[in-house]
Amino acid sequence: MANSLAKKLLNRILRKARVRAIVHGTATRPRLSVTISNMHVSAQLIDDDAGKTLAAATTVGKKLSGTTTEKCATVGADIAKKAKKIKVTTVVFDRNGRQYAGRLQALADAARKEGLEF
């Protein structure tokens, strides 16, 4: 059992590295990096040229109720609103080695609904 879990983690790390070799954020088109755990969701807008986080949204420290999918949608809408404030309309989507389905898709759809393009 432990061996299969280690293999699963290794495969995710390899997928993440493969995506990060291609995806690169700039000041005009930052990278939208999404991290989803069992309890919390985080999203950041990152300028890789300067090495700075431009905006971030998370569920950590907030009293949100509902499923993780609903929390993802809330974070997606929140990061899109923060992107509007800093005058960012387009981003490069970094899914961190995750499959584009379920919770990740809910976050992306909510961000698109608020006007963020990727």
Side-chain angles (χ1 to χ4, degrees):
M1 172 101 177
N3 193 18
S4 65
L5 187 61
K7 179 71 172 157
K8 191 175 186 179
L9 183 63
L10 177 66
N11 286 342
R12 182 169 176 270
I13 291 169
L14 291 174
R15 276 194 311 272
K16 180 178 178 177
R18 195 166 51 238
V19 169
R20 282 292 291 123
I22 299 168
V23 174
H24 183 81
T26 61
T28 56
R29 190 169 178 181
R31 175 169 55 100
L32 174 60
S33 178
V34 178
T35 306
I36 301 173
S37 72
N38 288 336
M39 291 185 65
H40 294 292
V41 181
S42 297
Q44 295 179 332
L45 291 175
I46 302 169
D47 176 7
D48 289 319
D49 290 338
K52 292 190 176 184
T53 299
L54 305 175
T58 184
T59 59
V60 178
K62 295 181 181 176
K63 303 278 186 188
L64 293 176
S65 61
T67 64
T68 311
T69 306
E70 292 166 352
K71 290 178 186 178
C72 283
T74 305
V75 170
D78 193 28
I79 196 72
K81 289 175 187 171
K82 289 182 179 183
K84 270 187 192 174
K85 285 183 183 177
I86 59 171
K87 296 183 174 91
V88 171
T89 56
T90 60
V91 295
V92 180
F93 195 52
D94 179 11
R95 51 192 176 86
N96 256 334
R98 286 185 150 274
Q99 186 178 11
Y100 184 82
R103 296 177 284 187
L104 189 65
Q105 186 176 1
L107 186 141
D109 289 343
R112 282 188 186 108
K113 194 179 234 185
E114 289 292 326
L116 204 58
E117 292 179 23
F118 48 94

